[in-house]
Amino acid sequence: PLLLLLLLLLLLPLPALPAAAPGDFDPYGVLGVGRGSSQADIKKAYKRLAREWHPDKNKDPGAEDKFIQISKAYEILSNEEKRANFDRYGDAGESQGFSQHQHRQFHRFHDGFYFDESFFHFPFNSERRDTSDEKYLLHFSHYINEIVPDSFKKPYLIKITSDWCFSCIHIEPVWKEVAQELEALGAGIGVVHAGYERRLAHHLGAHSTPTLLGLINGKITFFHNAVVRENLRQFVENLLPGNLVEKITDKNYIRFLSDWRKDNKPHVLLFDHMPVVPLLYKLTAFAYRDYLSFGYVYVGLRGTEELSSQYNINVYSPTMMIFKEHIDRPADVVQAREMKKQLIDDFLSQNKFLMVARLTNQRLFQELCPVKKSHRQRKYCVVLLTGEGEKFAEAYETFLTFAVANTKDTLKFVHIYNERQPEFADALLMDEEKYRGRSAVVILERRNNAGKIAYKALEEAWQGSKEDNFILLDLLDQLRTDPGLLSSETVVADLNDELAPMFLIRWLYSTLDYISDCWDSLFHSNWREMMPLLSLLFSALFILFGTVIVQAFSDSSDTRDSPPSEKEETAAKTEKNDVSFSKESNSRIPKKGFVEVTELTDINYTSNLVRLRPGHMNVVLILSNSTKTPLLQKFALEVYTFTGSSSLHFSFLSLDKHREWLEYLLEFAQDAAPIPNQYDKHFLERDYTGYVLALNGHKKYFCLFKPHRSGDEGGTLGSCEDFDASLHAEARGKPSCSPGSRSIKNKLHKLSFWMERLLEGSLQRFYIPSWPTLD
């Protein structure tokens, strides 16, 4: 009897356990409102508690957890559907993609077996979120006040995540690895939790999770590729401007180092054995682009021997050199087996300015000649006011020599062109006749940010003689003990920005950026955000071209009843069944109703695949010389209904010529086409005829169609009466009724269904790092 009782208990269905979250979380209790409260009462309670427990204002250790509970409670009660679910089922969490009714059906389907969330250890709520993201969490005010201004110094990679997000779990290992790597290189990392920072998520334009985006110079760019390490690194690298680092060789290094006169910056050279510029160096160049110009020397490249010998470079260790006014020798050098960000920052921060920098804007003047903060922190600027050209070259060179010999922390040597900064020169020289057409030296100290300065000018014009050097040196010695030596005071206006681009160029760059943003938004942004712009665009088009459109319709209505010409009747007849093929006859004009299939060769490989426009795909049929005619006929018949799409191109590839290219590509689709064993003597005989590849050249992925396998595939059928006779008439003018042609054509059976899934975007995609060469 006991055994029988146990069997009955096992056979009886277990009652479904409640699908709701544990009852210890009550959103009504968290907000302090009743179950019958209105939305206005709930919102009022939320605002009051959010202000009280916000972590930025409340320093209580438990403030952050309390604030998260308040936000979670408001998220449930502010949504009528979630609130009804909680009132009915006690569900205090967000749905995992299915309703409570579906959840109960799930329990019944599994005869009452209950799978607790803790069994899977999925971080579906705030208590189980990964702690590695906590230091990257962003709040709205923090993002606006700190992250956006900081994006002008380094790019940011930002992840938008939320609770109950399955996809967020899948990308987590890759995200951790990439975040740690990029942060060590100098990029910024941010994480936005959409459930608790809804305002910031909407501000960033993220309407789903997970979403990855880049931020640079205050501009947002969305990531749309597969979440793998290489793609994320390339995405961050593509955010950076393309002209940050110049490739330097023996032919252009003298020109590069001599440009310090033009751009008024020290020039940095990194010597390394990597063929491409390291991402660390690019990020550094972006951070210091306002102060320094950067060049990269690949020491393993032919054409850099003279450069390496000139500066005695050790080709086995990365070497960084900084050049100022003298290009024959570096002003400073650092060498290390592995360049680290901190080492590079320390090196560059000490060499941000030339020995005698030219004051080209107000920001540079404020940095080189700061306002005194105390008597112990006095900073003096020795300014050479001179002109441009060979006439003033000697005066400048002697002043530079004097500055190099008198480098002190309290002194900064600078120069200025009188013609480019006339207001500044007139305020110091008072337009005295003895300085007209000659150089002058002034010692000054800034007293406040409003432009007030104390100064003293050398009584005579600066000619660079030994006597001038002694007079200036004597004044600087007196200045150390007697700050009152600067007896004159005046107020100078802000300096003109000499290197700023013209207004027309700035306007052009702004217009190009705006057009680029609109183009990117057209393909990737949420359509709800694009509706106002599209409405405005279509309204403008209707107003501008309305008359032309009406006229066009009226003209077409007049000709609608006219009898068709003989050519039009012929075209209409041939449009029904005509299918033709062309190898590479670009001069041939394609006729409507024809399928143009181009052979993919090394001549048109770049234009038809590698540089294919975004959004376009090339559908390639794999065939051999023996199967060419029947496969092309069947291929044209299967894809004929899809030729109306301008984004699809159709080609065929000869297996006899390009087997190695195909084998390399199929290695990235191992589950669909196993890699042939190179030691297998039959692998060269593997039959790939009938394979179809849809290649996306821009995004570097492909979709694969494998030939249909049927029972008669190996047989030889001698007749093909059931095949479309009109197709034979158009293809080479000869019917393909040879033995086995029916079997070959069956390989492309159901290709049209595969094409439909291709256009829907539901096919599996196989990504590759780069397209191999076809030759």
Side-chain angles (χ1 to χ4, degrees), residues 176-221:
K176 285 182 184 179
E177 179 185 1
V178 174
Q180 293 175 0
E181 179 183 1
L182 293 179
E183 188 179 29
L185 295 178
I189 304 296
V191 176
V192 178
H193 197 287
Y196 310 124
E197 286 293 335
R198 190 179 306 174
R199 180 185 178 189
L200 179 54
H202 282 287
H203 175 79
L204 296 174
H207 300 283
S208 62
T209 55
T211 297
L212 299 178
L213 56 88
L215 174 70
I216 189 169
N217 293 331
K219 178 184 175 182
I220 295 172
T221 304

Side-chain angles (χ1 to χ4, degrees), residues 259-461:
D259 280 346
W260 66 266
R261 296 181 182 273
K262 184 194 306 182
D263 51 28
N264 194 39
K265 298 176 182 177
H267 284 61
V268 185
L269 283 181
L270 175 64
F271 297 81
D272 203 350
H273 58 276
M274 300 293 292
V276 296
V277 182
L279 180 57
L280 171 62
Y281 196 52
K282 288 186 177 182
L283 292 170
T284 303
F286 180 76
Y288 290 91
R289 67 189 186 281
D290 293 335
Y291 300 97
L292 303 164
S293 295
F294 292 83
Y296 181 75
V297 182
Y298 172 32
V299 294
L301 181 68
R302 292 186 61 184
T304 61
E305 296 86 354
E306 177 186 341
L307 186 56
S308 301
S309 176
Q310 171 76 16
Y311 302 113
N312 194 22
I313 300 300
N314 180 4
V315 297
Y316 299 104
S317 296
T319 304
M320 185 175 290
M321 291 184 173
I322 191 160
F323 295 82
K324 296 186 179 180
E325 285 87 349
H326 301 104
I327 67 172
D328 57 335
R329 62 183 184 275
D332 204 353
V333 180
V334 64
Q335 188 177 58
R337 290 184 177 180
E338 184 178 359
M339 288 288 181
K340 296 291 186 180
K341 180 180 182 299
Q342 187 61 45
L343 175 65
I344 296 177
D345 287 342
D346 294 341
F347 175 70
L348 297 181
S349 60
Q350 298 173 5
N351 295 281
K352 291 167 57 178
F353 306 104
L354 297 169
M355 297 300 299
V356 182
R358 179 160 61 93
L359 298 181
T360 56
N361 53 58
Q362 185 66 19
R363 177 189 60 80
L364 192 59
F365 182 40
Q366 292 173 351
E367 289 195 57
L368 290 172
C369 306
V371 177
K372 71 168 186 176
K373 298 181 180 179
S374 65
H375 292 287
R376 295 182 179 180
Q377 297 180 348
R378 288 181 178 275
K379 299 287 185 180
Y380 301 103
C381 268
V382 185
V383 185
L384 173 68
L385 297 100
T386 185
E388 299 182 69
E390 295 295 331
K391 177 183 176 181
F392 303 94
E394 184 178 355
Y396 169 77
E397 292 296 337
T398 55
F399 186 76
L400 174 61
T401 303
F402 182 90
V404 173
N406 293 273
T407 54
K408 298 179 181 179
D409 294 338
T410 57
L411 295 177
K412 286 292 183 181
F413 292 86
V414 296
H415 73 285
I416 199 168
Y417 288 154
N418 296 337
E419 295 82 1
R420 301 194 183 189
Q421 305 290 346
E423 296 181 0
F424 187 87
D426 293 342
L428 294 179
L429 301 180
M430 301 297 181
D431 200 21
E432 294 189 22
E433 189 66 30
K434 61 181 178 181
Y435 299 118
R436 191 176 301 276
R438 306 172 74 181
S439 301
V441 173
V442 176
I443 306 172
L444 63 84
E445 180 187 25
R446 292 180 64 226
R447 293 295 172 85
N448 58 33
N449 293 319
K452 183 179 180 180
I453 63 172
Y455 71 98
K456 181 176 179 59
L458 268 65
E459 294 183 1
E460 299 296 331

Side-chain angles (χ1 to χ4, degrees), residues 737-756:
C737 296
S738 59
S741 63
R742 175 69 178 273
S743 172
I744 294 174
K745 292 171 185 176
N746 281 339
K747 288 189 173 187
L748 298 181
H749 184 54
K750 296 185 178 180
L751 177 62
S752 59
F753 298 104
W754 182 83
M755 290 291 298
E756 290 178 0

